[in-house]
Amino acid sequence: MKGKLYIVATPIGNLEDITLRAINILKEVDLIAAEDTRHTLKLLNHLGIKKAMISYQRHNEEVKKDVIINKILDGQNVALVSDAGTPGISDPGEEIVKESIKNKIEIIPIPGACALINALICSGMDTKEFYFLGFLPLNKKNRQEKIEIIKNENKTGILYEAPHKLKNTLKELKEILGDRKIVLAKELTKIHEEFIYDNIDDIINSNKEIKGEYVIIIEGNSKIKNNDFENMDIKEHYLFYEKQGLNKNDIIKKIAKDRKVHKNEIYKLFI
Ligand code: SAM
């Protein structure tokens, strides 16, 4: 009989943030596939668990996933963990899940800590609708394209960022978004946990020391949220309707109506 794949969330700082079910699964499985076995060993030692481990990192995901899948097909139960939080969320996991689905292996989530959710729930921003972009791409052009998406999105946005890149990323956000409200959720669940609620500019100018791990929460574009066409630039206005699936002609007609101008004036701008 085939084994099962458990996707087990582990703490993002505070070692008490692990569920009883997660502990039991880590005790019961035959093998733990860990992003960094040395890192996970510290957690297992803390929990008094001794278990065989295999490394499953981004750079060896392709090869290791086959090794792990074969073990599951041979009947072993495997728990996948990452260094912190929920596997697959800006961490390895996606590939082995896809391969498990192909092999009709049962996949069982064991819920727990996830930095983006904990940052969001304390952000004071709209939690009804939000989107997560993970880490921005390294390539400058691709980064700017992603930030353009944020600019024209009315939902709350969530980003991960490495501490040494945070200041620079805030400056890039400021350049494209203007002075938007953001929340920095710092060192969640750890001793120096802090929520910084401010405008991007004030945070950049505060010269606060950037140390530790951060989640960036970005308020949705309120102009788009409130259909505030008068204060939108023409590109924002166009994107507003484009997102609703309208074609170019209909968008131009709508913009002209909203702005109380003849549609030819708007046509000219888009030729
Ligand atoms: N899988 C993890 C999760 O479920 O949140 C995310 C791993 S990702 C490689 C690491 C990034 O998550 C960090 O750069 C930071 O943006 C965010 N992060 C992780 N732990 C955090 C914490 N304790 N406080 C704030 N941000 C954290």
Side-chain angles (χ1 to χ4, degrees):
M1 209 172 90
K2 281 179 205 167
K4 292 174 183 164
L5 175 66
Y6 295 90
I7 311 292
V8 182
T10 57
I12 53 170
N14 189 324
L15 289 182
E16 292 186 1
D17 292 330
I18 183 151
T19 66
L20 295 174
R21 187 166 171 228
I23 296 171
N24 286 334
I25 293 294
L26 293 176
K27 280 183 187 158
E28 285 164 16
V29 289
D30 302 294
L31 181 68
I32 296 174
E35 185 182 5
D36 179 342
T37 51
R38 280 169 309 175
H39 188 97
T40 299
L41 186 62
K42 287 185 202 147
L43 176 69
L44 295 183
N45 287 341
H46 173 78
L47 298 170
I49 298 173
K50 279 204 167 78
K51 190 65 61 181
M53 278 197 277
I54 183 168
S55 92
Y56 181 73
Q57 296 167 329
R58 245 215 228 282
H59 73 266
N60 68 15
E61 231 172 324
E62 268 303 307
V63 186
K64 281 294 174 68
K65 79 167 191 252
D66 293 337
V67 176
I68 297 166
I69 291 288
N70 283 334
K71 287 185 187 291
I72 301 175
L73 292 174
D74 280 347
Q76 292 197 30
N77 289 319
V78 175
L80 175 73
V81 298
S82 63
D83 284 355
T86 302
I89 301 298
S90 298
D91 268 343
E94 198 180 309
E95 294 307 321
I96 196 165
V97 167
K98 282 185 190 154
E99 202 60 26
S100 297
I101 294 168
K102 273 194 213 154
N103 284 278
K104 300 197 171 14
I105 289 168
E106 191 179 347
I107 309 156
I108 300 160
I110 308 294
C114 183
L116 76 103
I117 295 297
N118 290 286
L120 176 68
I121 58 173
C122 293
S123 70
M125 292 192 182
D126 192 343
T127 56
K128 287 183 285 302
E129 287 189 292
F130 59 89
Y131 63 98
F132 173 58
L133 290 178
F135 291 96
L136 286 171
L138 294 176
N139 173 286
K140 192 162 182 192
K141 188 169 162 276
N142 297 345
R143 278 171 87 78
Q144 287 178 341
E145 276 170 13
K146 282 269 170 182
I147 303 175
E148 283 290 343
I149 294 175
I150 299 173
K151 183 176 179 192
N152 297 304
E153 184 52 77
N154 61 353
K155 301 182 182 81
T156 306
I158 310 174
L159 294 177
Y160 281 167
E161 191 48 290
H164 64 283
K165 292 192 192 146
L166 185 69
K167 267 250 151 97
N168 210 34
T169 298
L170 291 178
K171 285 185 188 150
E172 286 178 275
L173 288 172
K174 167 74 201 327
E175 264 170 39
I176 299 178
L177 306 184
D179 198 13
R180 191 85 67 88
K181 240 193 197 167
I182 61 167
V183 178
L184 294 184
K186 174 187 175 185
E187 292 283 89
L188 291 163
T189 79
K190 303 185 202 174
I191 297 169
H192 298 292
E193 178 178 275
E194 187 184 357
F195 289 89
I196 304 166
Y197 306 89
D198 220 330
N199 284 8
I200 306 181
D201 231 6
D202 292 332
I203 294 179
I204 294 172
N205 295 331
S206 71
N207 282 327
K208 238 179 182 302
E209 193 190 12
I210 303 285
K211 223 174 162 188
E213 294 193 282
Y214 289 83
V215 179
I216 310 172
I217 311 274
I218 304 162
E219 189 177 51
N221 184 330
S222 57
K223 287 185 264 175
I224 292 183
K225 206 183 232 163
N226 302 324
N227 295 359
D228 183 4
F229 302 126
E230 278 177 25
N231 287 313
M232 278 184 201
D233 64 36
I234 197 83
K235 198 170 158 200
E236 285 174 319
H237 204 158
Y238 190 93
L239 284 164
F240 174 83
Y241 284 123
E242 190 177 53
K243 274 203 196 138
Q244 296 175 10
L246 267 61
N247 66 35
K248 191 174 175 182
N249 279 351
D250 288 341
I251 294 174
I252 288 173
K253 277 185 213 154
K254 284 216 169 260
I255 295 177
K257 197 170 169 223
D258 294 338
R259 296 186 173 231
K260 298 183 182 63
V261 295
H262 195 274
K263 64 177 190 260
N264 286 347
E265 275 186 46
I266 308 295
Y267 267 117
K268 274 186 225 151
L269 295 173
F270 287 100
I271 287 170

